[in-house]
Amino acid sequence: MSASLGSGPHRPPQTTLRHRLAELRGPAAVPRPLDARALAALAANPGCRRRAILDGAGVDKTALAAKLGAPSAFGQSQFAIARGNAFEAKVKADGGRELLALLGIAEPGEVDLPELAAAGPEGRAARTALALREATAAGRWALLDHPMLALEVAGSPVYLEPDAVVVRPDGRWTVVEIKSFPMIDGSADASKVGAAARQAAVYVLALEKVAAVTEGAAVAHQVLLVCPKDFSNLPTASAVDVRKQLAVTRRQLARLTRIEEIADTLPEGVTFDLAQCSPEELASAVECVPPAYAPECLAACELAFHCRERARAADAVAALGRSVRGELGGLTTVGAVLAAARGEAGDPDDPAVAALRRARALRAEALEVAGCR
């Protein structure tokens, strides 16, 4: 753990990042651990400083959203969780026969199934690393069911648990993601596949840390996505390339390791202590950290409803989506967009302003023609 530079005028220079994050979270609050879903969500919206600092400090964003008066609807339903668990159990039943069949292995006896039990996540991660090294050295097929992987994030270990990892005789390690959404006619919902790919990329990154110190090992950049086939409960599989998601995740995690830079921009005394702060104090603290809201956040972040409400109150075009925000350039509010379209403001040489005025003229012309008819 590296010490924060403590560049703030009132903060002691010896204050460590761990201590600073504890101050933000609240000294009595237990840090909420990051998982693969949270890291994947960060990678999907790398510009959100608000989520970065809250996740880095281990703040319970679900409880925070509730205290802010915008409770989150984010998360899987109990029915979806039960369905997913049942499908995963079916895929892995009988020594993983159905899963191994998808890999072209007809007889489960040809595959080693290492025992990964150990005390605590740290012990399980060490046992998983040993099992991976032993399977690679043996040069045989091996299936690791729910291995535990460790990844350092912002100076602290994060423990991750993929559905499975397959070790091939040539030393390649492949992440297996088992999802309960259907794959119809060989393809699945693009947004769900994208979310699964971002999550799997986190596992690949953690595996690469172990492979780097394992002779003869290499991590495949194609993960095996296993889903129900069509409208049945029979499993089918598709290889998903996660190199793009892996590059984004690496960049985001590198940004998180400099989370002290975000913390140092906060005013002295700011805290997200859920036990001690009133809703008004928490709202004020949250507003000190700029968000990067987009409608996609509604499916990935517990604070999305709060951020959407504030974006709408500020008349921000970000509430309309990233593509719209990107097209409008320096026009950051709906009021500024309308004023530019009416010719009341904006630089006529700005392509966005020129396009808005052209669109308004075409609309007026269309309405006039429609009126004549």
Side-chain angles (χ1 to χ4, degrees):
M1 176 68 67
S2 61
S4 169
L5 295 178
S7 57
H10 305 294
R11 192 173 301 139
Q14 68 270 21
T15 300
T16 63
L17 175 59
R18 185 187 296 274
H19 183 255
R20 176 61 175 145
L21 294 180
E23 288 177 341
L24 291 173
R25 181 178 63 250
V30 177
R32 190 176 183 86
L34 285 169
D35 58 15
R37 285 181 181 272
L39 293 177
L42 278 171
N45 190 8
C48 188
R49 297 168 67 88
R50 180 174 293 175
R51 173 152 195 166
I53 192 69
L54 291 173
D55 279 347
V59 176
D60 185 343
K61 297 196 301 298
T62 301
L64 176 59
K67 289 202 74 169
L68 291 174
S72 169
F74 169 69
Q76 287 183 300
S77 68
Q78 291 302 313
F79 173 75
I81 292 172
R83 182 182 59 188
N85 290 340
F87 179 68
E88 181 178 342
K90 172 180 169 56
V91 171
K92 292 180 177 178
D94 194 17
R97 181 179 293 275
E98 292 195 51
L99 174 58
L100 296 173
L102 296 173
L103 293 166
I105 304 172
E107 182 49 55
E110 300 174 4
V111 181
D112 296 331
L113 301 172
E115 175 57 52
L116 302 178
E122 187 175 357
R124 288 185 59 201
R127 182 67 189 91
T128 294
L130 178 61
L132 287 167
R133 284 193 285 270
E134 290 175 344
T136 303
R140 285 172 48 84
W141 284 94
L143 174 64
L144 280 66
D145 184 12
H146 282 290
M148 184 66 73
L149 306 173
L151 187 65
E152 187 174 288
V153 178
S156 300
V158 173
Y159 295 101
L160 310 166
E161 190 175 2
D163 293 328
V165 171
V166 173
V167 179
R168 297 175 182 269
D170 61 1
R172 279 188 302 147
W173 303 348
T174 301
V175 171
V176 178
E177 271 292 278
I178 302 173
K179 298 296 184 182
S180 60
F181 56 81
M183 195 175 294
I184 300 172
D185 292 334
S187 63
D189 182 277
S191 63
K192 293 179 179 179
V193 172
R198 288 190 294 271
Q199 185 175 338
V202 178
Y203 300 138
V204 170
L205 187 59
L207 270 179
E208 286 182 342
K209 305 296 182 183
V210 184
V213 293
T214 303
E215 184 178 354
V219 183
H221 290 162
Q222 281 193 329
V223 303
L224 190 69
L225 179 62
V226 180
C227 298
K229 182 179 181 181
D230 298 326
F231 300 101
S232 71
N233 203 34
L234 298 174
T236 186
S238 176
V240 179
D241 194 317
V242 297
R243 283 177 292 183
K244 179 181 177 181
Q245 291 83 358
L246 191 59
V248 172
T249 303
R250 281 199 186 97
R251 288 197 300 271
Q252 179 63 4
L253 293 187
R255 177 177 178 270
L256 277 180
T257 59
R258 297 190 299 273
I259 202 168
E260 64 269 25
E261 297 175 8
I262 304 175
D264 285 345
T265 64
L266 301 179
E268 190 69 22
V270 165
T271 178
F272 306 104
D273 192 340
L274 298 173
Q276 300 297 325
C277 294
S278 67
E280 293 75 19
E281 290 171 330
L282 288 172
S284 229
V286 167
E287 288 305 307
C288 291
V289 194
Y293 172 76
E296 294 85 350
C297 295
L298 294 172
C301 182
E302 296 86 344
L303 280 180
F305 288 106
H306 172 78
C307 295
R308 181 179 67 175
E309 179 184 328
R310 293 306 177 111
R312 287 175 173 176
D315 213 22
V317 296
L320 303 176
R322 291 194 183 101
S323 59
V324 176
R325 173 69 185 87
E327 291 290 338
L328 293 172
L331 303 172
T332 58
T333 67
V334 174
V337 170
L338 295 176
R342 290 192 295 260
E344 299 169 358
D347 182 1
D349 294 330
D350 184 336
V353 173
L356 286 168
R357 292 179 181 175
R358 175 63 176 160
R360 183 172 185 270
L362 290 173
R363 178 179 180 276
E365 181 180 337
L367 291 175
E368 183 179 352
V369 171
C372 292
R373 287 180 179 175

